[in-house]
Amino acid sequence: MTIDQRALPKFKVVNLMPNVPAIDLYFGPTLLAPNIAYLASSPEFSIDTSQTNKVWTVRAAGSGTAGTAIATYDGVNTLNTGRKYTGFAMGYNGLAGTTEPRRPFISFFYTK
C-alpha cells in the first residue's frame, strides 16, 4: 500500500533552548530534524504515522538515540492527516521538576 504524502501531517521545529547550541528531533527511533541551531527552525518534514513508538524526543545535536533526552512528548495527538504543525523546543537543559516553569519541553502549535 502506498502512502499518500499529501495526507501525512507536516511539521517544522524551532529551537528556543538558550543553553543548547543545537538539537536533534526524533519521532520514536527516527531522526527527523537534525542539528537545529538555537533560534533557528528546521525545514518542513512529514512523518510515517504507522510507527508504533509515537514519542517525540529532543536530544543534543549529534548525541544519537543513546543520548540523554532533554525533553519528550507523547505524540499521539499530533498525527492528524493533512495538518501542519510547528513544534517549539523550549526551556533550559538541566532544570527539572514539574513546577519549574523554565524546565525543558516541546510543544506543538497547529498552524493549518
Side-chain angles (χ1 to χ4, degrees):
M1 180 164 100
T2 304
I3 297 174
D4 181 0
Q5 293 295 318
R6 295 171 298 181
L8 293 176
K10 296 188 182 350
F11 298 86
K12 71 176 179 178
V13 177
V14 180
N15 177 4
L16 299 175
M17 295 181 154
N19 68 338
V20 183
I23 61 170
D24 288 342
L25 180 73
Y26 288 84
F27 184 68
T30 307
L31 175 61
L32 295 174
N35 201 30
I36 307 166
Y38 175 59
L39 296 180
S41 65
S42 70
E44 187 174 87
F45 57 89
S46 296
I47 62 168
D48 176 4
T49 57
S50 68
Q51 288 188 165
T52 56
N53 181 344
K54 297 186 185 326
V55 174
W56 295 93
T57 307
V58 174
R59 293 186 170 91
S63 65
T65 56
T68 302
I70 297 171
T72 61
Y73 177 76
D74 184 349
V76 173
N77 295 325
T78 58
L79 300 177
N80 295 320
T81 59
R83 305 286 189 191
K84 288 189 175 189
Y85 301 89
T86 300
F88 298 94
M90 298 178 278
Y92 287 84
N93 187 22
L95 298 179
T98 57
T99 59
E100 172 56 69
R102 299 169 299 149
R103 71 188 178 278
F105 64 96
I106 184 165
S107 63
F108 291 89
F109 182 76
Y110 168 66
T111 55
K112 186 177 179 185

